[in-house]
Amino acid sequence: MGFGRRLPEFITGSSSNKFTVTAAAAFIVLSLVLIATVCSPISYLPLKFALSGTKPPEQTCESREQRSSYLKHRSPELPPYLLSKLQEYERRHRRCGPLSESFNTTSPLGTHNDFSDGGDCKFVVYTPSQGLGNRILGLTSTFLFALLTDRVLLVDFSADMDELFCEPFPNSTWLLPGNFPFRSDFYGGWFRDVYSYGKLLEKKSPSSSSPWNSTLLQIFLDDKYSEYDKLFFKDENQGFLEKIPWLVLISDGYFIPCLFQMQTFRSELEKLFPNNKSTVFHQLGNYLLAPSNQAWSLITKFYDAHLAKAEQRIGIQIRVFDPQATPTPVVMKQILSCTETRRILPRSRQSNETSKADEVTLRNEKSKSILVASLSRKYYEEIDWMYGTRRRQSTGIAVYQASHEGKQHSGDNSHNMKAWMDIYLLSTSDVLVTSSMSTFGYVAAGIAGVKPWIVMIPDPYHPRGANESACERAINLEPCFHFPPWFAYPDPPGTGGPVGRCEDVSWGLKLVGGHKTRR
């Protein structure tokens, strides 16, 4: 099953005997109800209606119905066991989630510390951190953890994540209720001191038989997590966590490679992803994350106006972490060295003169749309000057940029909406060029199903050797986990296990599925 299709649902209902009807009429009514039930689409509530339970004027998620026409590289069919696990999860989410009667009677709602044991329902609340790319990677990782531990995923989206995604689970919501206790304190120091599992381990070593008791714990997996927080990835600590009904998990990275390194989850992960470890994010991300109708409108309008008619779409994503230390000419030199050497773009001349031979070469190329995704306007202007319609209108090359925010804006919903638009537009590319260490680029490539060329952008924190190539082709679609604990590194490296080093971050880990990575 490709990600453009939804999981089958089996909906049952009970009849009501409010009206007296003849047997024939009853049979007709029942038949019509059955036909409507089978043929009607699954209801995915828009976010603003989900918590109220009211019926919105429109219940369809347009991107789920249409995205297969925009994302050119179809995903392989989901493994049967993963498919059944997702069906099982959807049933659990409906039974235990915020719109269920069970949640309203067992969840810790109110202003006091009254955390119920939740009955047979367990939860993990994802609390995002950093930029949108980081948040998406952390969210997807937390969802896989929920699948592995039979928990219900809830998300604590703040106002800057409003209306980005469709509800992923039918006839329910994944939004954490606004009156959840201490919701505004999840990032507070006192909350971490009291509820952090890392702090607990620092004070004592809990076990399944420990007298220490709580129904809620915080799991802190941000890039600033401590050595004690990292012990979450130790097998011996999972037995204790299994008994905690409420986990609040803060993460800004793709920690799935560390889950594959744990004996606790390895056999289940092998059943979920039996043949290919290189499409884990691609499959889970496209199942979980569909643009909202508002976001999809922005995406499709830009695509239809500028990218649809090109014979080839090239996405160039540029992320510079320290513009002052890495000026634009240095970055452009690296990008052009990559795109020209790998024949992604034809050879350019960085002058106002264009030779006749160059013009003939460019005219023989396919018509190309180049989408530049960057916070800065400078890179679009440079690439447009070299290849764009202002200089070579007869060559069939056009350069576009959907947004240029200047810098990353924290807490800005409009900024995140544009970022989500850029990610999805990049995902419609036939060829992708992304930046080293960029979670934004990881997400775009993973959704697209396209192995990107990763430009090794030099910077003070990640210096490049003189003999290194300008870019490398990613071995697969998997993102890199930038800050793994030391004990999660494969030993010995490169022996064909599921985890290896990243192409662009020498200290990072990624799923490799037997492929060799650069050392």
Side-chain angles (χ1 to χ4, degrees), residues 310-329:
E311 295 177 89
Q312 186 182 51
R313 283 160 291 278
I314 299 171
I316 302 179
Q317 180 261 337
I318 304 170
R319 179 69 164 102
V320 180
F321 293 95
D322 190 344
Q324 292 185 341
T326 313
T328 301

Side-chain angles (χ1 to χ4, degrees), residues 111-126:
T111 59
H112 54 87
N113 184 13
D114 182 21
F115 294 99
S116 164
D117 63 8
D120 62 344
C121 298
K122 295 187 297 182
F123 303 86
V124 55
V125 179
Y126 174 68

Side-chain angles (χ1 to χ4, degrees), residues 280-297:
V280 173
F281 175 73
H282 178 65
Q283 292 178 333
L284 292 180
N286 279 301
Y287 165 80
L288 190 66
L289 303 169
S292 67
N293 289 353
Q294 179 183 347
W296 190 242
S297 176

